[in-house]
C-alpha cells in the first residue's frame, strides 16, 4: 500500500517539475554549459566589435567615395598601389586577436574536457539506437529508455557521468542548457558529465543526422530535487507490476511478437531491440518524445506507430480491437 | 611606346547562318575553352535552380511546426541532394567554368593547355551529375528500398553501409560525385598547365591578374584535396559491394575514419568554392573604384596562405566526436588562423574602394553585398572555431546559417557580380541595369531574411536536418521569417533569368570594353573570336589596358 501511495506521489511530482522547453544556450544550467556560455559571450563580444569597426569602415567607404553626378568621369582618382605599413598593421592586429582567442579556447577546452567531476556521481550509459535512446544505470542494474533521470546538483556536489555509445549509426547527445553536444559513435566510448543546477525537465535532440526519424529522436533529462532521485530509482528497480486482474491481458501481450523486441522484467518478454517497458507508465512520453504518454496516444501508437513516426522500426502489428485493448490495458498496468 | 603592341585592329568576322544540327555539333564537339566555360556555367546555373527549388520545398515544410508537406524520407533526400548538388554540381562547375572562360583570355593565350582534356572534363562532370540524379529512378536497386540518396551531403559512415542504406542510392551518391570529381581534377590540371606555360610575352607571375592567381591556387587545392574524397568513395563502394569493412562498424570498421577522409577534402573544398568569388571581386572592385587593387602582393600572398592553412583545419568539423583536448585546441587554433589572411583580403578590397570614385553598377552592388555578408560569415566562422562554443553550435541551424552566409552571401553574390561583369564579354550584349538592380535588392533582402533568423533558431537548440519540429520550443517565428525570405530570393532569381533571356536578344550592344577595364580580356572583341587574339599581346605591367589608355602615366613606370 505504502509503495502504491509513494508511486502515486511520484506520478504527481514528476510532471510538476518545471519543463525547460526552450533550450537556449545562453541560459545554461549546468557546469559545462556554463563554461561554454562564458566563452561564447567573450567571443561574441570580440566579434561584435570587429563587425562594427570593419563593417562601419566598409559602409563609410561605400557612402563617402560614391561617384557623384558632379564628378568628371574622365578624371581618374589618384592611383594608390598599396602600403606596406598598412598591410603589416592589419596583419599583426588580427594575429594578436587570434592569439588571445586561442589562449582562451585552450583553457576552456581543457577545463571542460579534463575537469574532474564532483566526488559523488551517478553513472549512466546512454546507448543510441535508430531513433531512440537506451538508458542504462550500471550501478543499479537498471535499464530504461528515452528519459534520463538524474539528481539535480544545486550545491555542485552531485554530478552525472554519461558514457555515450551507439548500437548502429552515429548519434549526438545535445541538451543545450546542460552541455554542448558529444557524439555517440559505434565501437567507441565517449564521455560527458552534467550537474543540473535546478531540478526540472531539460529538452534536447539528437544532433547528428542518423536516418529517417532523426527529427523525432528527442531527449528529456529529468533532474530530480535532492533525495527524489533515490526514490525514483527504488521504484524503477522493482520488477514489473503483477496485477492479478491483468492475467488475461498479460497472456495476450506475451503471445504476441511484442516480446521479441521489448523487455518487461520478470516476464518472458526479454527482447532487446526496442525500449524496456518494465515501468512504461512512469514515462512522460512515448516514441522517444514524439507523443505524450496518454491512454489515447498509447493506443494509437500501438495500433500503428508509422502514423506518428513514419519510418520507425516498430511495425504496425495489425492487432484486432480486442487484442489492442488488452495490450494497452496490460501496458497501462506497468506503472 | 613602341614596345606596347596590342591587336587594336580586330579581324572582321562574317558570321553565316548555321543550321540547328551544325550548331549542336559545334557545341558538343567543341574544344574551345570559351564554349566549354559557358557550358560549365550554364549547367551550374541549371543545377542551381534545381537545388533552389529543393531548398524552397524544405523551407515550406519547416515554415510551421508539425508540417506534413513532405514525408521524412522525401525531406531527407531533398537536403542530401540539395547539398550535394550545390557543392559538386554548382560550386565546382562554377570554378571550372569561370577559370576556363577567363584564364586564357586574361593571360593572353589562345586556349587552355589541353583543349581535349578540357572537353573530357566537362562531359565527365555532366555525366557524374546525371548519374547522381538518375538515382531518383534507379536508386531503389533490387531490394526496392529508397530512391535518391538520403545520407546527407557528407554521407557519414556507417549510415552509408549496406545495413543502414539499402538499395543503390548510396552507390549512386559515391559514383556520381566521384565521376564528376574526375572532371574537376582534369580541369585543375589544365588550369595549372595553362597558367604556368601559356602566359603571353611580358606576363610574369607578378603581373598576372589576381583572378588568375586565385584560380591557380584553387586548382592546386583541388588537385590536393579531391583525391582523398575519391579514395574514400572507392573504399565505401568496396564496403558496399565487395564486403570490405573500412567503415563498417559492425565488423570492426571505423566511423571516425570516414570523417577524417571526408573533411580533409571537405574543408579545403569550402575554400575551393569561395575562391572564384575572391577572384571576381579582385577584378571588379578596382574597375568600379577606378583604382588598382590595393596591396596586390598581399592579396596574392593571402590566397596562397589560405590555401596552405586550409589543409590543416579539417577536424574543426569533428569537435563533437570526442577527440582529446589537445587535438581540439590544435584545430581550433589553425581554424582561427585562416581568419587572418581572409581578413587581409577584406581589408584590401575596402582599401581599394577607399579614395576611389565608386560606380554602383550591378556587378559592384553584388560586390558590396559580398563584403558585408562575408564579414558576417567570417565572424560566425570564428565563433564556430572556438571548440567549446562549437560544442553548442555544431550541427545546429547556426551552422546552416553560417555556411549559407559564406556560400550564398559570399560565393553566389560573387558569382552574380562576375556574371553581370563578364556577360557583355561572352555575349556582346549588356545585361539590363534596371532588372539587375531588382535582382540584387530582392535577392539581398530575401537572403538576409532567410539566413539571419536561422542563427537564432540554432542558438535555441534547433538541430539541422530535422524534417519537422514540435511547437513551443521557440523556433516557430524564426523559421516562418526564414521561409518568407525564400519568396524574395526566388523573385530575385526570376528577375535574373528574365534579364538573361531579354538581354541575349535585345540587350544594348556592349562593344569590346564596356566597363573601361584594364585586363587583357577586354582587348579583344565581344564575344572573342575562337583564337581569342589575332596577334598575341605583349604586356609590361599588371594593368596592360591602363598603360594603353594612359600613355603618359603607365603602370610599368611604377612597378
Amino acid at each position: 500500500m505504502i509503495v502504491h501511495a509513494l508511486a502515486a506521489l511520484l506520478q504527481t511530482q514528476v510532471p510538476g517539475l518545471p519543463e525547460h522547453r526552450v533550450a537556449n544556450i545562453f541560459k545554461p544550467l549546468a557546469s559545462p554549459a556554463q563554461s561554454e556560455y562564458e566563452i561564447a559571450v567573450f567571443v561574441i563580444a570580440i566579434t561584435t566589435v570587429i563587425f562594427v569597426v570593419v563593417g562601419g569602415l566598409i559602409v563609410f567607404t561605400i557612402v563617402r567615395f560614391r561617384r557623384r553626378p558632379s564628378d568628371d568621369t574622365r578624371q581618374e582618382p589618384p592611383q594608390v598601389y598599396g602600403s606596406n605599413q598598412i598591410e603589416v598593421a592589419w596583419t599583426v592586429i588580427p594575429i594578436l586577436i587570434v592569439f588571445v582567442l586561442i589562449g582562451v579556447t585552450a583553457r576552456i577546452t581543457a577545463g571542460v574536457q579534463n575537469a574532474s567531476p564532483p566526488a559523488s556521481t551517478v553513472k549512466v550509459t546512454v546507448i543510441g539506437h535508430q531513433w531512440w535512446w537506451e538508458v542504462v544505470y550500471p550501478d543499479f542494474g537498471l535499464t530504461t529508455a528515452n528519459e534520463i533521470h538524474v539528481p539535480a546538483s544545486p550545491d555542485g556536489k552531485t554530478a552525472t557521468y554519461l558514457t555515450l555509445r551507439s548500437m548502429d549509426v552515429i548519434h549526438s547527445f545535445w541538451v543545450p542548457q546542460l552541455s554542448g553536444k558529444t557524439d555517440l559513435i559505434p565501437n567507441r566510448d565517449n564521455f560527458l558529465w552534467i550537474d543540473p543546477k535546478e531540478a526540472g525537465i531539460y529538452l534536447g535532440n539528437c544532433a547528428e543526422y542518423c536516418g529517417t526519424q532523426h527529427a523525432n529522436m528527442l531527449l528529456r533529462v529529468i533532474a530530480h530535487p535532492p533525495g527524489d532521485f533515490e526514490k525514483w530509482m527504488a521504484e524503477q528497480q522493482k520488477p514489473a507490476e503483477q496485477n492479478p486482474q491483468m492475467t488475461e491481458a498479460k497472456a495476450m501481450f506475451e503471445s504476441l511478437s511484442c516480446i521479441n523486441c521489448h523487455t518487461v522484467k520478470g516476464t518472458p518478454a526479454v527482447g532487446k531491440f526496442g525500449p524496456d517497458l518494465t515501468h512504461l507508465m512512469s514515462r512522460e512520453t512515448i516514441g522517444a518524445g514524439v507523443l505524450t504518454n496518454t491512454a489515447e496516444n498509447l493506443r494509437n501508437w500501438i495500433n500503428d506507430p508509422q502514423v506518428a513516426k513514419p519510418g520507425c522500426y516498430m511495425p504496425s502489428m495489425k492487432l484486432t480491437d480486442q487484442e489492442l485493448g488488452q495490450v494497452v490495458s496490460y501496458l497501462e498496468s506497468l506503472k | 611606346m613602341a614596345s606596347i603592341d596590342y591587336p587594336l585592329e580586330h579581324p572582321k568576322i562574317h558570321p553565316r547562318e548555321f543550321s540547328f544540327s551544325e550548331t549542336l555539333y559545334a557545341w558538343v564537339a567543341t574544344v574551345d575553352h570559351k564554349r566549354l566555360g559557358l557550358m560549365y556555367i550554364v549547367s551550374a546555373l541549371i543545377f542551381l535552380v534545381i537545388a533552389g527549388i529543393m531548398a524552397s520545398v524544405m523551407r515550406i515544410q519547416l515554415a510551421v511546426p508539425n508540417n506534413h508537406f513532405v514525408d521524412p524520407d522525401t525531406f531527407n533526400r531533398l537536403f542530401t541532394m540539395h547539398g550535394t548538388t550545390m557543392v559538386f554540381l554548382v560550386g565546382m562547375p562554377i570554378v571550372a567554368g569561370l577559370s576556363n572562360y577567363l584564364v586564357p583570355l586574361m593571360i593572353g593565350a589562345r586556349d587552355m593547355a589541353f583543349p581535349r582534356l578540357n572537353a573530357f572534363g566537362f562531359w565527365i562532370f555532366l555525366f557524374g551529375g546525371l548519374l547522381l540524379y538518375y538515382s531518383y529512378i534507379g536508386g531503389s536497386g533490387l531490394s526496392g528500398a529508397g530512391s535518391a540518396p538520403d545520407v546527407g551531403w557528407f554521407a557519414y559512415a556507417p549510415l552509408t553501409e549496406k545495413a543502414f542504406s539499402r538499395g543503390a542510392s548510396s552507390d549512386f551518391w559515391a559514383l556520381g560525385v566521384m565521376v564528376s570529381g574526375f572532371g574537376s581534377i582534369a580541369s585543375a590540371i589544365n588550369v595549372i598547365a595553362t597558367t604556368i606555360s601559356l602566359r603571353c610575352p611580358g606576363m610574369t607571375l607578378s603581373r598576372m591578374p589576381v583572378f588568375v592567381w586565385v584560380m591557380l591556387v584553387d586548382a592546386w587545392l583541388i588537385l590536393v584535396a579531391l583525391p582523398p574524397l575519391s579514395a574514400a568513395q572507392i573504399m565505401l563502394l568496396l564496403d558496399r559491394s565487395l564486403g570490405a569493412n573500412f567503415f563498417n562498424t559492425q565488423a570492426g570498421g571505423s566511423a571516425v575514419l570516414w570523417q577524417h577522409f571526408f573533411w580533409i577534402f571537405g574543408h579545403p573544398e569550402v575554400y575551393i568554392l569561395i575562391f572564384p568569388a575572391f577572384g571576381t571581386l579582385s577584378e571588379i572592385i578596382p574597375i568600379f573604384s577606378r583604382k588598382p587593387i590595393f596591396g596586390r602582393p598581399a592579396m596574392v600572398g593571402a590566397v596562397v596562405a589560405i590555401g596552405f592553412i586550409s589543409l590543416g583545419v579539417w577536424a574543426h568539423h569533428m569537435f563533437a566526436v570526442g577527440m582529446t583536448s589537445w587535438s581540439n585546441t590544435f584545430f581550433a587554433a589553425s581554424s582561427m588562423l585562416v581568419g587572418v589572411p581572409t581578413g587581409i583580403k577584406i581589408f584590401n578590397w575596402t582599401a581599394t574602394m577607399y579614395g576611389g570614385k565608386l560606380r554602383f553598377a550591378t556587378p559592384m552592388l553584388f560586390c558590396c553585398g559580398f563584403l558585408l555578408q562575408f564579414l558576417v560569415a567570417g565572424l560566425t566562422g570564428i565563433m564556430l572555431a572556438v571548440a567549446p562554443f562549437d560544442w553548442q553550435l555544431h550541427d545546429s541551424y547556426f551552422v546552416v546559417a553560417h555556411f549559407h552566409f559564406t556560400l550564398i552571401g559570399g560565393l553566389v553574390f560573387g558569382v552574380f557580380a562576375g556574371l553581370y561583369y563578364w556577360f557583355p564579354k561572352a555575349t556582346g550584349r549588356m545585361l539590363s541595369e534596371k532588372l539587375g538592380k531588382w535582382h540584387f535588392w530582392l535577392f539581398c533582402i530575401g537572403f538576409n531574411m532567410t539566413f539571419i533568423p536561422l542563427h537564432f533558431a540554432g542558438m535555441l537548440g534547433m538541430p539541422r536536418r530535422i524534417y519537422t519540429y514540435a511547437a513551443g520550443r521557440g523556433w516557430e517565428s524564426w523559421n516562418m521569417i526564414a521561409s518568407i525570405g525564400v519568396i524574395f530570393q526566388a523573385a530575385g532569381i526570376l528577375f535574373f533569368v528574365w534579364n538573361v533571356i531579354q538581354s541575349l536578344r535585345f540587350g544594348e550592344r556592349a562593344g569590346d570594353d564596356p566597363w573601361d577595364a584594364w585586363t587583357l580580356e577586354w582587348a579583344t572583341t565581344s564575344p572573342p573570336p575562337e583564337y581569342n587574339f589575332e596577334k598575341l599581346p605583349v604586356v609590361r605591367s599588371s594593368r596592360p589596358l591602363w598603360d594603353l589608355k594612359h600613355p603618359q602615366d603607365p603602370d610599368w613606370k611604377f612597378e
Side-chain angles (χ1 to χ4, degrees):
Chain A
M1 269 319 274
I2 297 166
V3 171
H4 277 268
L6 198 63
L9 190 70
L10 277 175
Q11 286 291 304
T12 52
Q13 258 193 3
V14 172
L17 288 171
E19 191 183 49
H20 301 275
R21 279 187 75 76
V22 178
N24 188 343
I25 65 170
F26 296 105
K27 290 194 175 137
L29 284 165
S31 299
Q34 178 68 29
S35 306
E36 288 151 9
Y37 161 77
E38 282 161 14
I39 195 171
V41 170
F42 177 72
V43 175
I44 289 173
I46 288 186
T47 47
T48 306
V49 171
I50 299 175
F51 177 74
V52 170
V53 172
V54 180
L57 208 65
I58 295 172
V59 172
F60 169 78
T61 307
I62 290 172
V63 175
R64 168 70 183 76
F65 295 103
R66 69 190 188 281
R67 192 166 69 184
R68 294 172 173 81
S70 57
D71 285 353
D72 175 10
T73 51
R74 303 300 309 161
Q75 185 64 42
E76 302 280 20
Q79 302 294 296
V80 180
Y81 296 88
S83 150
N84 287 339
Q85 289 90 330
I86 296 178
E87 296 292 345
V88 169
W90 63 43
T91 309
V92 171
I93 295 170
I95 288 177
L96 294 178
I97 298 175
V98 162
F99 270 96
V100 171
L101 283 171
I102 291 172
V104 178
T105 302
R107 194 170 62 80
I108 305 270
T109 305
V112 174
Q113 282 194 276
N114 308 340
S116 348
S120 74
T121 59
V122 176
K123 290 194 176 61
V124 183
T125 304
V126 179
I127 303 166
H129 293 254
Q130 277 182 321
W131 303 292
W132 61 282
W133 310 87
E134 183 181 347
V135 184
V136 181
Y137 294 80
D139 294 344
F140 299 92
L142 173 70
T143 301
T144 171
N146 295 327
E147 295 171 10
I148 303 169
H149 291 256
V150 301
S153 173
D155 51 0
K157 285 186 184 150
T158 41
T160 304
Y161 220 80
L162 302 172
T163 302
L164 304 174
R165 293 186 183 139
S166 171
M167 207 62 174
D168 35 49
V169 300
I170 300 177
H171 305 277
S172 193
F173 184 96
W174 188 29
V175 183
Q177 288 183 288
L178 300 180
S179 161
K181 54 189 78 58
T182 303
D183 292 347
L184 297 82
I185 300 172
N187 293 349
R188 184 186 175 98
D189 285 2
N190 274 339
F191 303 95
L192 186 71
W193 66 276
I194 50 174
D195 55 346
K197 300 285 178 226
E198 292 173 13
I201 299 166
Y202 299 88
L203 295 201
N205 285 61
C206 172
E208 183 65 78
Y209 175 66
C210 54
T212 310
Q213 275 296 338
H214 166 57
N216 285 320
M217 189 166 165
L218 305 168
L219 273 162
R220 279 174 98 76
V221 172
I222 294 146
H224 292 272
D228 274 12
F229 175 73
E230 288 72 19
K231 287 184 208 158
W232 173 83
M233 182 54 78
E235 269 311 298
Q236 295 288 312
Q237 281 178 306
K238 298 200 180 92
E241 200 85 9
Q242 298 288 346
N243 188 335
Q245 289 171 340
M246 284 295 154
T247 320
E248 206 179 321
K250 182 168 180 281
M252 170 60 73
F253 177 79
E254 284 163 7
S255 74
L256 294 167
S257 51
C258 307
I259 61 168
N260 293 336
C261 293
H262 293 285
T263 295
V264 179
K265 242 189 235 163
T267 77
V270 289
K272 293 281 182 200
F273 196 70
D276 184 296
L277 301 178
T278 309
H279 296 282
L280 176 66
M281 296 321 285
S282 72
R283 293 188 207 141
E284 294 161 23
T285 61
I286 34 184
V290 73
L291 296 169
T292 49
N293 193 357
T294 64
E296 193 196 352
N297 280 343
L298 185 62
R299 187 185 173 90
N300 290 338
W301 171 261
I302 295 162
N303 186 37
D304 188 359
Q306 301 298 323
V307 175
K309 202 166 173 176
C312 74
Y313 287 133
M314 177 166 163
S316 160
M317 300 306 295
K318 310 259 189 289
L319 303 179
T320 63
D321 270 358
Q322 190 217 349
E323 289 169 333
L324 184 61
Q326 284 190 323
V327 168
V328 171
S329 57
Y330 173 63
L331 291 179
E332 281 178 339
S333 76
L334 298 174
K335 302 266 191 257
Chain B
M1 292 296 121
S3 59
I4 302 179
D5 189 6
Y6 290 102
L8 289 180
E9 288 295 314
H10 299 306
K12 296 274 180 294
I13 301 166
H14 301 286
R16 79 178 172 85
E17 289 293 311
F18 290 102
S19 72
F20 175 76
S21 61
E22 280 173 321
T23 314
L24 185 68
Y25 179 81
W27 281 90
V28 171
T30 188
V31 292
D32 177 11
H33 73 98
K34 294 180 292 300
R35 289 193 165 189
L36 288 165
L38 290 178
M39 287 197 287
Y40 266 120
I41 290 170
V42 170
S43 354
L45 291 177
I46 292 170
F47 279 122
L48 176 71
V49 170
I50 295 172
I53 292 170
M54 289 174 165
S56 311
V57 174
M58 287 189 279
R59 281 309 332 158
I60 295 173
Q61 165 72 12
L62 291 177
V64 289
N66 297 317
N67 200 356
H68 293 286
F69 186 67
V70 290
D71 63 54
D73 283 323
T74 308
F75 186 90
N76 296 342
R77 285 180 195 125
L78 282 173
F79 72 67
T80 303
M81 291 297 275
H82 169 81
T84 309
T85 305
M86 285 304 293
V87 171
F88 296 103
L89 307 179
V90 179
M92 294 305 264
I94 285 285
V95 174
L98 286 177
S99 49
N100 254 308
Y101 195 91
L102 293 170
V103 165
L105 285 170
M106 283 186 163
I107 62 172
R110 296 207 191 280
D111 204 323
M112 298 289 275
F114 308 117
R116 281 184 292 180
L117 180 66
N118 207 7
F120 166 79
F122 170 74
W123 292 108
I124 197 84
F125 142 75
L126 190 61
F127 176 71
L130 296 178
L131 188 62
L132 179 68
Y133 271 83
Y134 180 73
S135 63
Y136 270 106
I137 304 166
S140 52
L142 289 174
S143 35
S147 63
D150 59 354
V151 289
W153 84 274
F154 41 73
Y156 270 5
L159 194 60
T160 47
E161 292 291 330
K162 267 282 189 251
F164 306 108
S165 170
R166 286 162 295 147
S169 60
S170 290
D171 304 289
F172 274 101
W173 180 85
L175 276 172
V177 169
M178 185 168 69
V179 165
S180 80
F182 294 157
S184 301
I185 292 174
S187 150
I189 292 171
N190 221 338
V191 170
I192 294 169
T194 308
T195 44
I196 296 301
S197 54
L198 292 185
R199 278 170 287 127
C200 70
M203 175 77 73
T204 59
L205 283 178
S206 62
R207 289 175 191 164
M208 204 160 73
V210 177
F211 178 87
V212 182
W213 259 109
V214 173
M215 298 321 278
L216 175 62
V217 178
D218 208 8
W220 275 110
L221 265 186
I222 290 175
L223 209 54
V224 174
L226 220 51
L229 176 67
S230 303
Q233 284 167 329
I234 290 169
M235 289 156 82
L236 175 62
L237 289 167
L238 291 176
D239 273 15
R240 290 180 56 85
S241 303
L242 302 179
N245 292 315
F246 293 107
F247 312 118
N248 184 2
T249 46
Q250 293 176 318
S254 168
V256 178
L257 179 66
W258 169 270
Q259 301 191 11
H260 281 293
F261 266 111
F262 189 87
W263 291 118
I264 205 165
F265 147 79
H267 205 80
E269 170 71 8
V270 302
Y271 292 97
I272 291 170
L273 295 177
I274 195 68
F275 272 11
F278 285 1
T280 54
L281 255 76
S282 302
E283 295 304 319
I284 294 168
I285 287 181
I287 301 301
F288 289 88
S289 308
R290 309 309 304 161
K291 280 177 64 203
I293 186 104
F294 191 90
R296 228 181 98 80
M299 283 303 252
V300 171
V303 164
V304 176
I306 293 173
F308 275 108
I309 300 174
S310 74
L311 294 170
V313 302
W314 75 90
H316 68 211
H317 295 270
M318 299 164 60
F319 285 147
V321 305
M323 297 187 298
T324 62
S325 59
W326 282 107
S327 316
N328 283 337
T329 304
F330 173 84
F331 284 104
S334 62
S335 308
M336 282 185 247
L337 271 181
V338 179
V340 176
T342 313
I344 291 174
K345 297 202 75 69
I346 290 186
F347 296 139
N348 277 299
W349 284 320
T350 312
T352 305
M353 288 157 62
Y354 193 94
K357 285 183 180 173
L358 307 183
R359 195 185 139 206
F360 293 104
T362 314
M364 188 61 173
L365 284 178
F366 276 103
C367 290
C368 293
F370 174 105
L371 283 180
L372 287 166
Q373 286 156 186
F374 196 68
L375 177 65
V376 174
L379 295 174
T380 53
I382 294 280
M383 298 181 199
L384 288 166
V386 175
F389 199 2
D390 182 75
W391 290 329
Q392 288 287 13
L393 299 177
H394 180 70
D395 268 333
S396 76
Y397 256 87
F398 187 92
V399 173
V400 175
H402 159 74
F403 69 70
H404 281 90
F405 257 79
T406 62
L407 291 181
I408 298 185
L411 171 68
V412 173
F413 271 67
V415 167
F416 277 133
L419 291 178
Y420 276 88
Y421 182 64
W422 281 297
F423 186 89
K425 179 50 61 184
T427 64
R429 287 179 188 272
M430 306 294 287
L431 282 168
S432 153
E433 273 295 305
K434 198 174 150 199
L435 294 175
K437 286 194 169 118
W438 273 99
H439 170 200
F440 169 76
W441 285 111
L442 283 170
F443 196 65
C444 189
I445 291 167
F447 161 75
N448 283 289
M449 203 167 156
T450 299
F451 291 105
I452 289 175
L454 294 182
H455 290 102
F456 300 108
M459 288 172 167
L460 294 176
M462 181 169 175
R464 64 195 284 200
R465 297 176 164 180
I466 53 173
Y467 76 94
T468 190
Y469 53 94
R473 300 197 60 187
W475 306 338
E476 294 96 327
S477 44
W478 301 121
N479 276 286
M480 180 48 97
I481 300 168
S483 295
I484 293 170
V486 172
I487 299 167
F488 290 84
Q489 292 189 64
I493 295 292
L494 284 179
F495 270 97
F496 172 67
V497 172
W498 180 241
N499 198 352
V500 170
I501 294 170
Q502 279 293 96
S503 304
L504 273 176
R505 297 170 63 200
F506 309 115
E508 190 193 328
R509 295 268 175 201
D512 295 358
D513 183 13
W515 308 114
D516 192 7
W518 302 318
T519 40
L520 280 181
E521 76 270 29
W522 305 102
T524 182
T525 53
S526 307
E530 211 164 330
Y531 42 84
N532 292 350
F533 304 95
E534 192 188 11
K535 213 169 156 189
L536 281 187
V538 178
V539 301
R540 295 185 67 186
S541 81
S542 57
R543 292 195 297 169
L545 267 64
W546 169 276
D547 297 347
L548 194 69
K549 290 167 185 170
H550 300 84
Q552 297 82 17
D553 183 30
D555 261 6
W556 52 264
K557 278 194 178 165
F558 305 99
E559 283 186 359

